[in-house]
Amino acid sequence: MTTPIPELVPIQRDSDVVTARRIGRDMAKTIGFGTADQTRLATAISELTRNVIKYAGEGECTIFNESDTTHNRIRVVVEDHGPGIPDIEEAMEDGYTTGGTLGAGLPGTRRLVSEFNIESKPGLTRVEIAMEKQVW
Amino acid sequence: MNVPILLIGDVLLVSIQEDLSDDEIIDLQDQIINRVSASRTAGLVIEISAIDMVDSYMARVLNEISSMVSVLGSQTVITGMQPAVAIILVDMGSELIGVKTALNLEKGLDLIHELIEERRSISAYVPSNEGDEE
């Protein structure tokens, strides 16, 4: 079994957010995730890549197919070299926003996926999410 | 971006047929508000059945359009939301969509006409208090 090549999407402008979420959805569909999960992943990617544009200007989004014989699994890493998130705990609270959205971005995204990890310091913000489903 | 905005009687119908970027959504918001204000529209229907994802940004813009239209004295109904989109909106935080919705365009048009009638009957109502006090 060959290891699938990850999809790297540079995030530099508005339209890249659309591209990234479409590629994520397509991969989820190809692997066999249902419509709701495809939509969850696309929405999560949209939120994370928008943050890159909004707070860091540019970055990248890499989407990995890590499925094996027992599990369907997609991992997404979104990275930028912007100023970083000053207070991650605060940013993960419902209703928190500095960017003029409803503040559902990060906490909402965490609720959509099976794994969510975030690290941030000035010069590097890295969010890693994964969606997993057992293959019966 | 190709989003038809059609005036049918006193109802403005906006049919979003493709996945829009943030800039395109904001452009659309401007266009809609200008049309509602210029045409004295009584109601706005936004048809989103072709949209396969509504994230927090899009939800916020839809909310804002509805609020602005309300301030302009009109009503808004969103129609055709895909089940998966509805599920994810609730997953993310149910306060995201505060707009009236209908299952499909036909039901949405019925609802918008009801809302318009309701509003007309309220504004046509004249309190009779002054007469009672005589």
Side-chain angles (χ1 to χ4, degrees):
Chain A
M1 194 171 148
T2 55
T3 309
I5 303 158
E7 294 267 8
L8 172 67
V9 189
I11 306 298
Q12 285 156 346
R13 59 185 71 81
D14 212 39
S15 55
D16 296 333
V17 173
V18 179
T19 306
R21 70 193 181 208
R22 197 186 58 231
I23 289 173
R25 173 185 286 274
D26 288 349
M27 192 188 279
K29 190 175 183 179
T30 307
I31 292 173
F33 283 101
T35 313
D37 280 339
Q38 292 168 29
T39 308
R40 283 191 181 93
L41 188 77
T43 309
I45 291 174
S46 188
E47 301 288 350
L48 297 178
T49 51
R50 171 177 304 104
N51 283 350
V52 168
I53 302 277
K54 203 160 60 180
Y55 297 107
E58 61 175 25
E60 57 190 38
C61 171
T62 318
I63 308 170
F64 303 84
N65 176 0
E66 294 184 340
S67 304
D68 55 30
T69 49
T70 56
H71 290 84
N72 288 332
R73 191 168 194 276
I74 289 185
R75 187 161 60 94
V76 180
V77 177
V78 178
E79 264 181 338
D80 69 62
H81 301 285
I85 302 166
D87 187 338
I88 291 182
E89 267 182 45
E90 197 179 30
M92 291 308 300
E93 280 170 22
D94 274 319
Y96 175 81
T97 180
T98 58
T101 62
L102 280 175
L106 284 179
T109 303
R110 179 160 63 177
R111 284 197 286 273
L112 295 180
V113 291
S114 21
E115 265 175 53
F116 183 100
N117 285 295
I118 183 167
E119 54 180 289
S120 184
K121 58 186 180 192
L124 178 67
T125 295
R126 187 174 190 278
V127 186
E128 189 173 332
I129 58 172
M131 206 170 67
E132 191 175 78
K133 201 168 191 181
Q134 200 167 341
V135 183
W136 296 98
Chain B
M1 178 179 73
N2 175 31
V3 181
I5 304 180
L6 312 166
L7 187 63
I8 304 169
D10 53 3
V11 172
L12 202 63
L13 172 61
V14 179
S15 180
I16 304 178
Q17 298 175 345
E18 60 189 304
D19 198 5
L20 301 178
S21 74
D22 293 359
D23 286 349
E24 289 171 332
I25 295 169
I26 289 296
D27 278 355
L28 180 63
Q29 180 181 37
D30 286 349
Q31 286 180 40
I32 291 174
I33 298 308
N34 286 333
R35 284 289 294 274
V36 168
S37 150
S39 63
R40 304 272 167 209
T41 314
L44 167 70
V45 173
I46 306 177
E47 170 27 58
I48 62 163
S49 59
I51 295 287
D52 59 13
M53 185 223 63
V54 173
D55 61 11
S56 63
Y57 186 84
M58 178 134 190
R60 170 178 155 248
V61 175
L62 291 175
N63 269 334
E64 275 184 10
I65 292 174
S66 171
S67 304
M68 290 173 183
V69 166
S70 167
V71 170
L72 290 169
S74 304
Q75 315 279 331
T76 303
V77 172
I78 289 179
T79 67
M81 186 183 289
Q82 291 182 15
V85 172
I87 291 169
I88 276 70
L89 273 178
V90 173
D91 277 359
M92 289 190 77
S94 53
E95 78 275 32
L96 283 181
I97 283 276
V99 185
K100 290 205 169 57
T101 56
L103 199 57
N104 55 38
L105 185 54
E106 191 185 352
K107 291 195 163 75
L109 287 170
D110 288 349
L111 177 59
I112 198 78
H113 285 119
E114 276 171 33
L115 293 169
I116 292 168
E117 277 316 306
E118 212 172 275
R119 191 175 177 110
R120 282 198 181 122
S121 59
I122 291 168
S123 41
Y125 173 74
V126 182
S128 56
N129 292 353
E130 286 176 35
D132 292 344
E133 284 166 12
E134 272 179 9

